[in-house]
Amino acid sequence: MPMTLVYAVIFLVGVSGNMLVCLVILKHHNMRTPTNYYLFSLAVSDLLVLLLGMPLEVYEMWSNYPFLFGAWGCYFKTVLFETVCFASILSVTTVSVERYVAIMHPFQAKLKSTRRRALRILITLWIFSILFSIPNTSTHGILLQYFPNGSLVPDSATCTVVQPLWIYNCIIQVTSLLFYVLPMGVISVLYCLMGIKVSLMSFGCDHISYLYLY
């Protein structure tokens, strides 16, 4: 019950907040900037998790088995969580790259940062996210439990990993490298470079002001 209440609060706050983000961007034309397109993508991915994924999580907390939605429901649940997770990470990384270009190469960013380009990037990110979610999804399925005498345990169907664990572990290691370690490294390096650039610009402005006053 405590976890269900926590999930309920997250659901209400998350749905209302992300819905407001989407409505503001869709309603106001001047808010449809390339950066806000990436924020819209993040909001959509969060809404997919909240509206489709979280109810399944709460259901499994209260009734871990049987899984009532069959093999295709299991595949849908897995591919949903994998896709939105990857899409969110790639969107955040892309926003960091866009900010880096805007600070380090402002004139180039002004020319290249268009809404059409942002849409193309987002479509590509979502396609990549779906494709990379397939390997992990393929390791999942419906697992049935059996008594020692070989008879089937009634209502024992669960959505879990059905392939050998070494395959699942390899997939998790590869996806962790591609969608956590590398993006985190890229984001960290870019923000360090942006911080250095902003510090130098601030120092230069202060130095010029000092000389002018002098």
Side-chain angles (χ1 to χ4, degrees), residues 1-186:
M1 181 60 72
M3 286 301 301
T4 302
L5 294 176
V6 171
Y7 272 47
V9 172
I10 295 174
F11 180 85
L12 294 174
V13 175
V15 169
S16 59
N18 286 289
M19 283 293 294
L20 288 174
V21 171
C22 293
L23 290 175
V24 168
I25 294 175
L26 291 174
K27 186 176 181 180
H28 300 281
H29 191 271
N30 60 338
M31 294 294 293
R32 299 176 189 176
T33 63
T35 300
N36 285 344
Y37 276 19
Y38 298 118
L39 297 179
F40 185 86
S41 175
L42 288 171
V44 169
S45 64
D46 289 342
L47 285 173
L48 288 175
V49 173
L50 292 168
L51 295 175
L52 301 178
M54 185 171 287
L56 287 175
E57 288 291 312
V58 174
Y59 165 77
E60 289 191 343
M61 279 198 305
W62 287 94
S63 179
N64 191 30
Y65 57 87
F67 188 79
L68 300 179
F69 305 101
W72 286 105
C74 181
Y75 297 148
F76 173 78
K77 172 192 171 185
T78 307
V79 76
L80 172 67
F81 277 103
E82 292 286 301
T83 299
V84 296
C85 179
F86 295 159
S88 297
I89 294 170
L90 293 177
S91 296
V92 171
T93 306
T94 305
V95 170
S96 301
V97 174
E98 293 285 334
R99 289 176 176 173
Y100 170 81
V101 175
I103 292 176
M104 306 297 287
H105 309 283
F107 294 106
Q108 183 179 356
K110 186 69 174 178
L111 295 175
K112 292 186 176 182
S113 182
T114 62
R115 288 180 291 182
R116 180 174 297 180
R117 176 173 174 268
L119 284 175
R120 288 200 302 265
I121 292 175
L122 286 174
I123 292 172
T124 303
L125 294 183
W126 278 92
I127 292 175
F128 269 106
S129 300
I130 295 173
L131 292 177
F132 277 98
S133 69
I134 293 176
N136 188 25
T137 304
S138 65
T139 63
H140 285 69
I142 299 298
L143 182 66
L144 301 174
Q145 302 295 328
Y146 293 88
F147 289 112
N149 61 5
S151 60
L152 178 66
V153 178
D155 297 329
S156 62
T158 55
C159 176
T160 185
V161 177
V162 294
Q163 299 296 327
L165 284 179
W166 69 268
I167 298 177
Y168 173 76
N169 291 333
C170 289
I171 293 173
I172 292 300
Q173 291 175 9
V174 172
T175 53
S176 297
L177 174 64
L178 293 177
F179 293 95
Y180 179 76
V181 177
L182 289 181
M184 181 66 69
V186 170

